[in-house]
Amino acid sequence: MKIVSITRSMAMLSVAGLLPAAFAVTVSVEQLALEQEAVQLIRQVEEVGRDVRYNAGRLNSIAVNPQINRWTHAHHLSQIKHLMNDGLRPAITRLTAIQPMLPEWKQDAIDKLLNAARALAADTSSAIWTKNESGSAPLAMNADYKNLVAKIYEHSEMLVKTSDAAGNFAAARLKAADADLRVAHR
């Protein structure tokens, strides 16, 4: 009778000992899924950043030519606004929501993306306002407008560089995790 009781107790202790390990595996799987989502979102930020950078580059090149009509400026600013509202904002919003659950290095990268996105949004709004308030004068003669367009390009470049680096680094870490390589999870 005592042998059965001891055997039963040992079996229960073994099962209880496995519970934390099973929980740790679940947490790891959940953490891995969260990090994969973050990589996809960072890639989306990069893609949108590249499109914004293209339009900002076009604006930058035409901002010095007084013969370019206002519609062309309005078109590129509208494209940038659309990309930011429909592409960048949802990705940044989700990244912000999951940021506290990600590794510290990824949190830092998201902070940099947020700062660049905020600056990009502010300068785009200012550029639109400046264009609308400039009257009929050629935009190439408006130093404030040209400065804002240059800043839009700089911020989009920062978005692309940061998201590209963070995305590549995160993808490499996930690839290492898939291969069961131990990677510091700072």
Side-chain angles (χ1 to χ4, degrees), residues 15-26:
V15 170
L18 293 175
L19 286 176
F23 180 72
V25 169
T26 303

Side-chain angles (χ1 to χ4, degrees), residues 1-179:
M1 186 81 150
K2 280 193 177 220
I3 294 175
V4 172
S5 178
I6 291 173
T7 306
R8 192 174 293 160
S9 296
M10 291 300 286
M12 291 184 85
L13 283 174
S14 296
V15 170
L18 293 175
L19 286 176
F23 180 72
V25 169
T26 303
V27 171
S28 295
V29 169
E30 290 172 0
Q31 183 67 28
L32 187 62
L34 199 59
E35 288 191 40
Q36 287 172 335
E37 179 185 8
V39 168
Q40 291 172 345
L41 291 166
I42 289 170
R43 290 290 182 220
Q44 182 179 342
V45 169
E46 180 183 0
E47 189 176 309
V48 172
R50 288 184 190 283
D51 291 342
V52 169
R53 185 179 63 185
Y54 166 78
N55 283 285
R58 295 293 300 147
L59 273 175
N60 226 358
S61 68
I62 65 174
V64 296
N65 187 344
Q67 295 177 338
I68 302 295
N69 65 26
R70 297 175 80 71
W71 181 90
T72 304
H73 290 268
H75 170 73
H76 287 292
L77 285 170
S78 176
Q79 287 294 105
I80 291 170
K81 181 180 170 184
H82 170 72
L83 288 163
M84 290 174 48
N85 288 337
D86 297 343
L88 191 59
R89 181 181 291 153
I92 292 290
T93 300
R94 179 62 183 150
L95 278 170
T96 303
I98 64 174
Q99 183 180 16
M101 297 171 273
L102 296 171
E104 184 180 328
W105 72 268
K106 203 173 279 186
Q107 291 180 24
D108 293 342
I110 291 170
D111 283 338
K112 288 179 181 170
L113 292 173
L114 283 170
N115 290 336
R118 285 183 186 123
L120 179 62
D123 288 339
T124 300
S125 293
S126 294
I128 291 169
W129 185 84
T130 301
K131 180 192 77 56
N132 292 340
E133 294 295 314
S134 69
S136 62
L139 291 170
M141 297 178 73
N142 188 325
D144 289 339
Y145 177 77
K146 291 191 297 186
N147 185 39
L148 288 166
V149 167
K151 284 179 161 182
I152 291 169
Y153 184 83
E154 290 172 19
H155 298 309
S156 62
E157 181 67 20
M158 179 57 71
L159 265 179
V160 171
K161 284 181 179 179
T162 303
S163 58
D164 180 50
N168 288 342
F169 186 70
R173 289 175 58 92
L174 289 174
K175 190 174 184 179
D178 284 345

